[in-house]
Amino acid sequence: LFTPHGDGAFDHDNETALPHRYSVTRDDGVRAEATASDWGLVLRFRFPVGSGAIDVSSFGPAEFAFDGGLLSGWVDGSTVHGQVIPRMHVRAATEGVLSFDGTTLTTGPEATLHIGTSLIGEPSIPGDFDTVARDAERRWEELFEQVHVEGATDDQLLTLYSNLYRMHLYPTSLGERMPDGTLAHWSPARGEVVPGGLSANNGFWDTYRTIWPALVLLQPDRVAELLDGFVQHHREGGWVPRWSAPGSLDAMVGTSFDIVFADAASKGVIDPEAGYGAVLRDATARSEHPADGRKGLGSSLYRGYVDRTTPEGLSWTMEGALNDFGLSVLAGMLGHEAERRYFASRALAHEALWDEATGFFRGREASGEFGSAFDPFAWGGDYTETSAWTMAFAAPHAAAGLRDLGPRLDEYFATPERGDESVRGEYPTVIHEMIEARDLRMGLWGLSNQPAHHIPFLYAHAGQPARMQRIIAEARQRLFTGSEIGQGYPGDEDNGEMSAWWFWAALGLYPLTPGSGEYVVCGPLFDRMTVALPGGTLDVVSHGSGPYVQSVLVDGEPWEHIAIPHATIAAGATLDFLMGPEPSDWGAASRPFSHAADRLVDASPGATVSVPALVDDAGETVVALDVVTWEFAAPTTPELYTVTFAQPGTHAWRLEASDDGLDWTVLDERVEATDWSMQLRPFEVATAAARWFRIVGDGAPATQLELLTRVE
């Protein structure tokens, strides 16, 4: 926004970039320095010719006035994915500024701008440059002081603290302190200033795998505040954004806030009740706006998968399965047994996309058919930012059910990624993720992008942890090496995700399945890594040399399991690793957590139903729910049933069973409130095998009914 005149050319030797302070001397002699506070920044300029000029411009409309050394005005943000960034109010006290012509500040040989910003009103102006810089340095040092290492090179130290820096840049707290000490924020949903805090600027598909688990470990109290700030979006507008910038962007697949929240709640960081309504809406109610909720949910609720009429339907299904695992965890914590069982079954939805003929997960048409043309190396289409090969491993929460896991992993890491026109698939051009995956030279494994981050750790499920250890050691050594421009960084950062992957790999632990409450053990990078946690000090010590774990002690006691509980780590522990140059069988006899559940399917296709529109798996036809009858050829035992009402409100109904279609027994009778339009609700059934079932309702408008039975 404030740019000194000139061509801007400079040499990196004349640049200093620190977390709390930036400075550069350009080739034309202009020197610029910057430091920042939460809602302000201070810029300092020196011009070699005795006077200077600073452009005041923006990416959107702006308006400024200058009076008595005070610059004030506003800047409107650009439009991204249809979401308008809110107006930013700006107020700057200036030193050395002589005049302003509406676009350019004319200055003397030195100038300082103390700039305050706000989304809600008149900004507060920050103090002098050095004071603001010292405060910023102190705050960053408090974060960096959490982690100390021994046995690191200078480059590794730079990587460590640079990654910690990036891990703490996002998300953003938008709550601003009012004169009375309370917080307020600009609400993207309401377009006005409202009381309280709000969190923003995060893409949960990009961040759920490593950065959120890292923040949960390092800063649990801060995470509780941030997550509540994201739930605030739901309170104000009905939905938590998939990608918040600061409102909802129609970007990426999966409502991954669901698994982020479930992971934090399962580790005791936040009350599960606080966000359960938000994630429940994601999983059970369709949205009318493409930037909210899950795409393809209307039919996938009943069909069990998102079909190919929804772009990237396979990826929506796979991400939905993991997020529904998170729902099952939360429902279990809250004692909602029907919802726990229902979501536990839906967490296996990826199984519906397994194509036995090709040996890959594939997108299905609405008819249920797989397409005929298929190349497992082709990117895009059904597979968001990847190929069928990487998506073959996209169920870390249920990895025990993945077919031929060990041999498939071996083939995956042994087959070179082409990354060229031959595999661009449905993308119009070769995307950068393809090129990066090729250039990493680790087979098809694209560590450079999020969908592949967890894949080496799946060797733990195959009983081959030594292969995991070798791959992680190579990635740490080769892909994050160097501190020059273009080095030390293999791919997409995306809100700290790549930095957090390295942090976990350096620590020797990995959060393979968020919500499972454990970390897979892969072996540490440094001789010693000490992490100060709120619950105690985690001390990770490496003895010997080599990439392979020979044995592990936890607080002095032998540990043989391939995973360690979060509770053990978070309370503070000493982990002693004996490392060696040759593979061992340590941990091979154990397995990490893997979700298992009864798979439930709708029994309606095997029955004659009196109102076919209510069991058509489309959920599009609105019918007054009076009496709906199922007649089966043989006794059937439903374990759950679901009702989807077209409108929110309080509804009454009962479920009955009969052996002859004449005498009826009440299995379940309810008066229930539904919160949202087109919301599915699951309910338990008293155990009963019968040929006839019926639901008797009060005439409320409904769109779909299911009787769910166990898949034997």
Side-chain angles (χ1 to χ4, degrees):
L1 180 62
F2 299 95
T3 308
H5 282 182
D7 64 12
F10 68 95
D11 190 304
H12 286 295
D13 288 341
N14 298 320
E15 178 189 37
T16 300
L18 300 171
H20 65 286
R21 183 173 185 159
Y22 176 84
S23 65
V24 62
T25 300
R26 297 192 323 201
D27 293 350
D28 61 7
V30 174
R31 180 173 176 78
E33 298 174 276
T35 189
S37 60
D38 281 344
W39 285 93
L41 66 157
V42 185
L43 304 177
R44 203 156 60 182
F45 301 98
R46 186 186 66 207
F47 299 95
V49 294
S51 64
I54 303 171
D55 287 338
V56 177
S57 58
S58 73
F59 294 108
E63 183 177 296
F64 289 98
F66 186 68
D67 183 20
L70 184 67
L71 183 73
S72 59
W74 51 263
V75 180
D76 279 348
S78 60
T79 299
V80 182
H81 293 278
Q83 171 63 43
V84 177
I85 307 300
R87 174 166 289 183
M88 177 71 76
H89 303 278
V90 180
R91 217 165 147 253
T94 68
E95 302 170 28
V97 175
L98 305 177
S99 63
F100 177 61
D101 65 4
T103 61
T104 301
L105 294 166
T106 300
T107 76
E110 295 184 355
T112 303
L113 281 64
H114 306 259
I115 305 165
T117 63
S118 173
L119 297 177
I120 65 176
E122 185 173 283
S124 298
I125 295 175
D128 71 272
F129 187 99
D130 292 330
T131 299
V132 172
R134 281 194 299 270
D135 183 61
E137 182 178 22
R138 175 188 57 79
R139 295 173 66 184
W140 278 113
E141 284 298 326
E142 288 175 355
L143 295 174
F144 297 151
E145 283 293 320
Q146 275 195 272
V147 182
H148 292 277
V149 296
E150 297 176 12
T153 66
D154 288 344
D155 273 351
Q156 287 174 330
L157 287 172
L158 187 57
T159 296
L160 167 63
Y161 292 106
S162 295
N163 285 348
L164 287 172
Y165 167 72
R166 287 189 290 264
M167 285 167 60
H168 289 91
L169 288 175
Y170 296 98
T172 307
S173 294
L174 293 190
E176 300 183 46
R177 193 67 61 185
M178 303 295 285
D180 63 0
T182 62
L183 288 176
H185 65 271
W186 180 85
S187 168
R190 299 180 183 175
E192 61 182 8
V193 176
V194 299
L198 188 79
S199 301
N201 300 325
N202 206 250
F204 292 104
W205 181 86
D206 293 300
T207 59
Y208 75 79
R209 298 166 177 86
T210 67
I211 181 57
W212 277 104
L215 294 177
V216 165
L217 180 67
L218 295 170
Q219 303 281 336
D221 291 344
R222 180 67 175 139
V223 165
E225 294 177 3
L226 290 169
L227 290 180
D228 188 72
F230 280 112
V231 174
Q232 189 66 25
H233 289 267
H234 167 75
R235 299 182 186 116
E236 294 174 8
W239 303 91
V240 175
R242 297 196 302 273
W243 222 120
S244 162
S248 297
L249 300 188
D250 183 12
M252 308 317 300
V253 295
T255 51
S256 301
F257 175 80
D258 304 349
I259 192 64
V260 168
F261 186 87
D263 182 56
S266 71
K267 294 170 180 173
V269 168
I270 193 168
D271 179 0
E273 191 69 61
Y276 188 64
V279 301
L280 188 66
R281 187 173 194 183
D282 285 340
T284 62
R286 72 186 76 175
S287 168
E288 299 301 319
H289 193 284
D292 296 325
R294 301 186 190 179
K295 292 187 179 180
L297 190 67
S299 59
S300 70
L301 280 174
Y302 319 111
R303 190 175 291 139
Y305 62 90
V306 182
D307 65 58
R308 299 190 78 240
T309 60
T310 297
E312 302 175 306
L314 177 141
S315 293
W316 277 102
T317 302
M318 304 292 278
E319 296 295 339
L322 175 62
N323 285 298
D324 285 338
F325 165 69
L327 266 291
S328 73
V329 170
L330 291 169
M333 294 178 70
L334 293 169
H336 303 324
E337 182 59 15
E339 289 171 351
R340 185 201 65 78
R341 292 189 62 201
Y342 174 72
F343 289 116
S345 173
R346 274 183 36 176
L348 301 174
H350 57 283
E351 291 288 345
L353 300 182
W354 179 256
D355 178 15
E356 197 67 45
T358 61
F360 287 93
F361 293 113
R362 296 183 58 196
R364 295 176 66 172
E365 307 295 345
S367 64
E369 300 296 319
F370 296 110
S372 56
F374 175 65
D375 178 359
F377 298 96
W379 285 54
D382 292 325
Y383 310 101
T384 302
E385 293 186 4
T386 192
S387 69
W389 259 111
T390 291
M391 291 301 285
F393 307 108
H397 65 294
L402 295 174
R403 280 77 164 176
D404 300 320
L405 184 57
R408 296 295 296 278
L409 286 168
D410 289 346
E411 186 175 0
Y412 181 72
F413 284 100
T415 304
E417 172 62 63
R418 299 177 218 161
D420 58 21
E421 283 286 333
S422 69
V423 293
R424 71 174 169 85
E426 296 184 30
Y427 283 117
T429 60
V430 174
I431 62 174
H432 69 86
E433 290 88 350
M434 298 165 61
I435 298 170
E436 291 160 357
R438 178 197 67 199
D439 291 349
L440 296 182
R441 306 190 312 282
M442 297 196 75
L444 294 167
W445 185 42
L447 171 62
S448 52
N449 202 28
Q450 287 76 22
H453 277 185
H454 69 286
I455 293 178
F457 302 95
L458 293 177
Y459 269 118
H461 281 284
Q464 298 171 316
R467 299 191 183 189
M468 164 187 70
Q469 295 155 16
R470 175 185 58 78
I471 292 167
I472 300 306
E474 180 183 349
R476 289 184 313 215
Q477 179 181 2
R478 185 165 62 78
L479 303 184
F480 293 86
T481 298
S483 56
E484 299 300 319
I485 296 295
Q487 294 181 328
Y489 211 60
D492 281 2
E493 171 62 313
D494 287 336
N495 293 161
E497 174 71 14
M498 186 66 67
S499 293
W501 188 96
W502 181 91
F503 170 79
W504 286 111
L507 190 62
L509 306 170
Y510 189 80
L512 178 56
T513 298
S516 68
E518 67 175 30
Y519 305 112
V520 169
V521 177
C522 62
L525 172 60
F526 299 111
D527 294 345
R528 189 177 211 128
M529 189 169 184
T530 304
V531 185
L533 304 176
T537 298
L538 175 62
D539 199 13
V540 180
V541 185
S542 178
H543 309 273
S545 62
Y548 298 106
V549 177
Q550 309 296 305
S551 64
V552 178
L553 300 178
V554 176
D555 290 332
E557 297 295 325
W559 187 272
E560 299 295 336
H561 200 276
I562 194 62
I564 298 178
H566 168 80
T568 300
I569 299 300
T574 298
L575 310 184
D576 285 285
F577 287 83
L578 178 61
M579 308 299 292
E582 299 296 331
S584 80
D585 61 359
W586 179 88
S590 62
R591 298 292 185 273
F593 167 87
S594 186
H595 172 69
D598 294 331
R599 290 188 63 196
L600 304 175
V601 297
D602 186 13
S604 299
T608 300
V609 185
S610 62
V611 186
L614 286 177
V615 294
D616 63 3
D617 286 351
E620 298 292 343
T621 304
V622 178
V623 177
L625 182 55
D626 295 314
V627 179
V628 181
T629 304
W630 288 258
E631 180 183 352
F632 291 92
T636 299
T637 306
E639 299 198 5
L640 297 176
Y641 71 101
T642 74
V643 183
T644 304
F645 288 104
Q647 299 172 358
T650 300
H651 313 295
W653 72 90
R654 65 183 183 271
L655 173 68
E656 302 176 334
S658 174
D659 292 326
D660 56 11
L662 300 175
D663 297 320
W664 296 89
T665 300
V666 175
L667 302 180
D668 191 42
E669 188 166 13
R670 292 185 176 271
V671 177
E672 292 277 346
T674 56
D675 296 323
W676 310 292
S677 299
M678 301 297 187
Q679 182 192 2
L680 178 148
R681 298 284 308 280
F683 302 98
E684 289 189 287
V685 181
T687 302
R691 286 188 56 211
W692 282 269
F693 295 87
R694 72 182 183 188
I695 289 181
V696 181
D698 61 359
T703 62
Q704 199 75 12
L705 304 172
E706 295 177 299
L707 297 178
L708 299 178
T709 59
R710 187 185 307 182
V711 176
E712 299 298 337

